[in-house]
Amino acid sequence: RDGDFSEARVARLSDLSREDGRTLAKAWQAFPEATREAIVRRIDDLSEERIDVNFRRALRVALDDPSATVRQLAVSALWEEDSTDLLGRFEDLLTQDPSEDVRAQAAAALEPYVARAAEGELEPEEVDRLRDLLLTATSPNEPLVVQRRSLEALGPLGNDPQVRDLIAEFYASDEQALRCSAIYAMGRSLQSEWMPDILSELENDEAELRYEAARAAGAMGSQDALPGLLSAARDEDAEVRHAAIAAIGQIGGRGGARALERLADDADESDLELIESTLEDVNSLLDPFSSA
């Protein structure tokens, strides 16, 4: 019944003790698969809506679910996690899970750990293991979706020569999906050498590549990208426009604020709310003591 997955009921799975986690693990398999899937979906929704909930223990139970869909949803719901105790679990899922969708989701879940590695926050042996696992998972023998998510996850280590070469290799591919992942990784690498390619892709004929280029330009955070993003924020494709608006907000500063003000002057009604809320965020960082 719908009521079984009400916010109040599912929220009771937040902040479980170790003992509660063991109790849930014993009871979990008795639930029908559709129920287990619905619970994890609801947990994911609540995690996005509320900051006062922590479903880590409940989701760890779901990582062992016999259903690949439930395992994939559980990994996805843990997307903000970068605690070291989950690192090995995600690595195991990447290398051993029978489902390519779960493996791809696990690769994506490893990106926050790669970001920590790039900041020097992981032990050297952890960094080496993580890097090597993801490099192996980009092999052409792997399913395309696993290759893509693994390269994307490696992005923050983009100053590593092997990762840099791999980004270049994927970018030169005839496979558009691999090129999209290469552009994403360029942005996450924060390596200025990729900036000309990212700016060039803002004018690609393919909307999917323009979208990834807009996101990458925002991740790079360079004011040099603002003219190209201003143009992309008027793209015929709504997803490209919205990615470009968000990217301008990420870059921020006086230049970002001016670009958003220009957009607001002649924007479609459908985009105006996003532009105004993004501009408000930029202005609040420029003047944190403003009454707005």
Side-chain angles (χ1 to χ4, degrees):
R1 296 190 311 276
D2 288 344
D4 290 342
F5 313 118
S6 68
E7 179 172 335
R9 191 178 178 94
V10 175
R12 288 165 58 189
L13 295 175
S14 173
D15 294 304
L16 295 181
S17 66
R18 278 194 174 84
E19 186 177 346
D20 289 338
R22 285 192 290 268
T23 301
L24 177 64
K26 288 176 185 173
W28 185 254
Q29 300 307 333
F31 301 148
E33 181 177 335
T35 299
R36 302 194 309 268
E37 184 177 325
I39 290 171
V40 178
R41 287 188 190 278
R42 196 74 177 97
I43 283 175
D44 195 16
D45 290 341
L46 285 181
S47 297
E48 288 195 21
E49 294 165 10
R50 292 171 51 174
I51 60 171
D52 62 329
V53 291
N54 182 342
F55 293 105
R56 187 190 304 173
R57 282 216 165 95
L59 289 169
R60 286 194 77 131
V61 171
L63 289 178
D64 293 318
D65 199 280
S67 161
T69 301
V70 174
R71 295 196 304 278
Q72 183 183 2
L73 287 167
V75 177
S76 176
L78 287 162
W79 66 276
E80 282 192 306
E81 283 290 339
D82 64 357
S83 55
T84 309
D85 66 313
L86 273 167
L87 173 57
R89 192 72 186 85
F90 290 148
E91 289 174 336
D92 288 346
L93 287 168
L94 170 61
T95 55
Q96 298 171 20
D97 200 277
S99 162
E100 66 181 58
D101 291 329
V102 175
R103 295 182 62 217
Q105 197 72 57
L110 288 169
E111 186 179 331
Y113 296 92
V114 178
R116 284 184 61 191
E119 295 293 327
E121 294 177 11
L122 295 184
E123 295 298 322
E125 60 271 19
E126 290 178 323
V127 177
D128 291 344
R129 187 183 69 239
L130 177 58
R131 174 184 164 281
D132 291 348
L133 284 176
L134 286 165
L135 284 171
T136 300
T138 63
S139 158
N141 301 323
E142 293 285 3
L144 188 67
V145 68
V146 175
Q147 292 182 53
R148 292 190 63 190
R149 299 297 168 255
S150 297
L151 178 73
E152 290 168 10
L154 283 164
L157 287 178
N159 63 345
D160 179 294
Q162 248 185 300
V163 175
R164 187 184 300 125
D165 289 349
L166 199 58
I167 292 173
E169 182 185 321
F170 274 47
Y171 186 53
S173 170
D174 293 331
E175 178 68 61
Q176 182 170 305
L178 295 181
R179 295 189 68 204
C180 284
S181 293
I183 296 166
Y184 177 93
M186 288 175 187
R188 294 291 283 133
S189 78
L190 304 181
Q191 300 299 302
S192 59
E193 68 188 273
W194 296 118
M195 205 65 199
D197 292 311
I198 292 170
L199 294 179
S200 168
E201 293 299 335
L202 284 172
E203 299 177 13
N204 195 290
D205 289 342
E206 295 290 338
E208 189 180 13
L209 289 161
R210 298 197 303 275
Y211 170 81
E212 289 298 346
R215 291 208 302 167
M220 292 285 273
S222 170
Q223 298 272 324
D224 295 343
L226 287 174
L229 286 170
L230 193 55
S231 176
R234 297 186 171 105
D235 198 274
E236 62 186 10
D237 185 280
E239 288 189 23
V240 175
R241 291 199 306 275
H242 295 171
I245 292 163
I248 293 170
Q250 264 185 290
I251 293 168
R254 301 284 175 199
R258 281 195 296 272
L260 291 164
E261 285 164 359
R262 286 177 61 186
L263 283 174
D265 287 341
D266 59 1
D268 289 340
E269 194 67 38
S270 58
D271 297 338
L272 193 56
E273 186 179 343
L274 176 61
I275 293 168
E276 289 178 342
S277 66
T278 306
L279 179 58
E280 194 176 312
D281 291 343
V282 170
N283 282 334
S284 70
L285 289 173
L286 285 171
D287 182 8
F289 300 109
S290 68
S291 55

